[in-house]
Each structure stands twice: as C-alpha cells, then as structure tokens.
C-alpha cells in the first residue's frame, strides 16, 4: 500500500467504551506486533498484517558475511538462545538460533529473518519503517541497504529511519527518492526551530520519544512540512494526549489499539 493511500485511512482509537476519531493516521507495528509475538520475527510481522497495521517497524544489523538481518540488539543474547555479536556471526550461524522461545514456547523455532526475506513476503501487504542500528559497527550497511532497496521496483512503501542525521544524509546520497525519518531521543530542552529547519532539508518524518510530544512541538514540525510519529506506545492511557496533539501516526507494540473505520 502506498503512503498516499495509507494517509486516506480513518481510525477510531478505543479506550474502554470511548472512541476518538483521528484522520490521516499511520499505525506502525513496532518490531512487528511485538506485544503479541517475538519482536522482529516473521510471526510478529504476520500478526501486524493480521491486525491491519499500516507499517511494520523493523531493525537491521549486519552479519559477519554481510547479510542484513532483522534484529534489534547488536548481540543475539537477549532475543535468541545464542550468544555473541551479530558482526562476529555468519548468517548461517544466526539462522540456526531460536528467536521465539524466549517470548513464549508457542513461538519456538522462529528464526532471525533477513531483510530480503521480510521484503519478499510482505511487499504489497504492508509498508516498512526500517531502522538502521549501530552504523558505527557496520561501515558498509548503508551501501548494502540501498542496493537491496534499489532492486525493488518501487520504494514508496518504505521509510528508512535512524537517530543519526549524518547517516541519513549518506542514505539520501545513495538513494535520493527514499523517504527518511529522524528518530529523536528524549531531551530536557526539547527540539528547537533551528534544529527542525535544518532537519527539514533532508527528512520527511520526525519520530521522537513520546515524552517529547506537545501540541506546540507537533505544530512546529508541521510548519516545516514534516510529519511526526512518536515511539513507543505500550499503554492506552497515553493515547488520547498524543492524538490531541495531532500527531500523524504512532509506533506501537499493540496495533489493535487503533481500529480502522
């Protein structure tokens, strides 16, 4: 689904028996539907499709032999039954690991997928928000990613995001048509107009920690012709305040908090 069609959707957001209607809104399934299935696995991405999310958000690292693998941490320790740094393991070694049992025994046997596997299975079913993790560990990761994406017939269902603005500049140099998002960690002084003006020259999305969101910030982001999708919503009590701020989407472990009309 193209971004244009996604933004024509209308959602009702349910909390108890109360619904808030919100138009032109993106629901992004964080690491897949990570509240219901082991993060960054095919099971989590299939659940996101089942729950009618607009995007799956996923994280990429690079194996020792140059394969882009979908996993959040720089090591396999937390989300598999293995140990070691991604960059020191070949993909053949990584794919032997169980990436599901840690979450629940029903997911035993889930594997760490490659980015190519995810794109192959889900292109045309859902859009993709791809986060480049730890680029300092993988000097070739931008080239690897843009080579894969350039082989797709179209990339209007893809956004690439990072906390690293300079990295996004490199992505843009390699693939200028790609939509980009800047992740912003919580900072006590917030985000200045000077920063927004600078960022708006490159990115189309500002995706901040949800604790940064205010009506004023969202209004200022919109004034620079960018959209805003905060991360990560894991509870219903924070939803109304975010929607009242007129955000453009939300990155959430629970896509079914948002119901399409």
């Amino acid at each position: 689904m193209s971004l244009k069609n996604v933004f024509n959707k209308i959602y009702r957001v349910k909390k108890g028996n109360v619904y808030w209607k919100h138009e032109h809104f993106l629901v992004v399934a964080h690491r897949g539907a990570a509240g219901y299935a082991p993060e960054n696995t095919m099971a989590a991405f299939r659940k996101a499709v089942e729950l009618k999310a607009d995007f799956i958000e996923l994280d990429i690292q690079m194996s020792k032999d140059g394969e882009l693998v979908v996993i959040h941490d720089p090591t396999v320790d937390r989300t598999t039954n293995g140990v070691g740094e991604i960059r020191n393991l070949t993909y053949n070694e990584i794919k032997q690991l169980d990436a599901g049992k840690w979450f629940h025994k029903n997911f035993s046997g889930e594997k760490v997928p490659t980015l190519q596997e995810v794109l192959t299975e889900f292109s045309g079913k859902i859009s993709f928000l791809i986060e480049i993790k730890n680029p300092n560990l993988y000097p070739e990761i931008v080239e690897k990613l843009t080579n894969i994406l350039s082989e797709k017939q179209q990339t209007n269902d893809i956004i690439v995001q990072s906390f690293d603005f300079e990295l996004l500049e490199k992505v843009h140099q390699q693939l200028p048509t790609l939509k980009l998002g800047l992740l912003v960690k919580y900072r006590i002084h917030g985000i200045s107009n000077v920063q927004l003006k600078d960022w708006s020259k490159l990115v189309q999305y500002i995706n901040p920690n949800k604790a940064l969101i205010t009506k004023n910030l969202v209004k200022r982001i919109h004034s620079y012709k960018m959209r805003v999708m905060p991360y990560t919503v894991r509870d219903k009590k924070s939803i109304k305040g975010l929607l009242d701020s007129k955000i453009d989407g939300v990155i959430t472990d629970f896509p079914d908090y948002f119901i399409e009309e």
Side-chain angles (χ1 to χ4, degrees), residues 214-224 228 245-246:
T214 64
K215 290 182 180 180
N216 176 266
L217 175 61
V218 175
K219 184 177 180 179
R220 288 189 292 118
I221 291 172
H222 286 163
S223 74
Y224 287 98
V228 55
S245 299
K246 301 189 183 302

Side-chain angles (χ1 to χ4, degrees), residues 6-257:
V6 164
F7 272 105
N8 287 331
K9 298 171 77 171
I10 298 176
Y11 286 89
R12 291 180 302 152
V13 183
K14 184 178 182 181
K15 183 179 180 184
N17 294 319
V18 179
Y19 288 84
W20 301 288
K21 181 180 285 190
H22 200 66
E23 300 182 13
H24 311 305
F25 191 77
L26 291 176
V27 176
V28 182
H30 182 240
R31 305 179 197 171
Y36 300 107
E39 64 180 62
N40 279 320
T41 63
M42 300 300 256
F45 301 142
R46 290 175 187 135
K47 187 65 177 179
V49 173
E50 176 190 329
L51 295 176
K52 299 183 179 181
D54 301 302
F55 277 75
I56 51 176
E57 186 267 354
L58 57 90
D59 307 288
I60 57 170
Q61 316 260 359
M62 194 163 71
S63 68
K64 182 178 180 180
D65 49 347
E67 190 72 60
L68 295 189
V69 292
V70 180
I71 187 169
H72 179 271
D73 298 356
T75 73
V76 298
D77 300 27
R78 181 177 63 86
T79 57
T80 80
N81 62 340
V83 294
E85 294 187 44
I86 302 293
R87 62 177 175 171
N88 293 331
L89 299 170
T90 66
Y91 179 62
N92 188 56
E93 292 171 322
I94 293 169
K95 72 179 181 181
Q96 306 303 319
L97 302 176
D98 189 312
K101 190 175 181 180
W102 69 272
F103 186 87
H104 192 279
K105 63 182 180 180
N106 290 349
F107 294 101
S108 296
E110 282 294 320
K111 303 300 181 184
V112 176
T114 66
L115 175 62
Q116 188 61 67
E117 287 172 336
V118 175
L119 294 175
T120 297
E121 176 161 343
F122 296 101
S123 287
K125 299 177 183 177
I126 198 165
S127 297
F128 306 92
L129 178 60
I130 301 171
E131 181 179 350
I132 302 175
K133 304 295 290 189
N134 303 300
N136 58 307
L137 298 180
Y138 317 112
E140 299 178 357
I141 195 167
V142 168
E143 182 179 358
K144 292 279 185 180
L145 174 61
T146 53
N147 283 345
I148 290 173
L149 297 185
S150 64
E151 292 175 0
K152 283 174 58 68
Q153 292 183 346
Q154 51 82 22
T155 57
N156 64 2
D157 61 344
I158 293 173
I159 303 168
V160 170
Q161 67 174 359
S162 174
F163 286 99
D164 188 328
F165 186 77
E166 292 183 359
L167 178 77
L168 294 176
E169 289 179 318
K170 294 176 183 178
V171 174
H172 180 72
Q173 290 168 4
Q174 294 290 324
L175 201 54
T177 59
L178 202 60
K179 294 179 176 65
L180 302 175
L182 181 66
L183 288 157
V184 183
K185 294 179 180 179
Y186 179 76
R187 50 184 75 185
I188 193 168
H189 299 297
I191 300 173
S192 72
N193 285 339
V194 172
Q195 289 172 313
L196 290 177
K197 183 177 180 180
D198 186 43
W199 296 340
S200 69
K201 297 172 185 176
L202 179 70
V203 308
Q204 294 77 44
Y205 295 84
I206 299 294
N207 300 339
N209 185 302
K210 67 178 183 179
L212 281 172
I213 292 295
T214 64
K215 290 182 180 180
N216 176 266
L217 175 61
V218 175
K219 184 177 180 179
R220 288 189 292 118
I221 291 172
H222 286 163
S223 74
Y224 287 98
K225 311 301 181 186
M226 296 181 290
R227 292 181 169 129
V228 55
M229 300 190 295
Y231 69 90
T232 303
V233 173
R234 297 186 173 97
D235 61 90
K236 291 185 177 180
K237 65 182 180 181
S238 63
I239 292 175
K240 187 176 186 300
L242 292 171
L243 294 185
D244 286 347
S245 299
K246 301 189 183 302
I247 58 174
D248 301 289
V250 66
I251 300 171
T252 177
D253 288 353
F254 301 96
D256 55 335
Y257 286 177

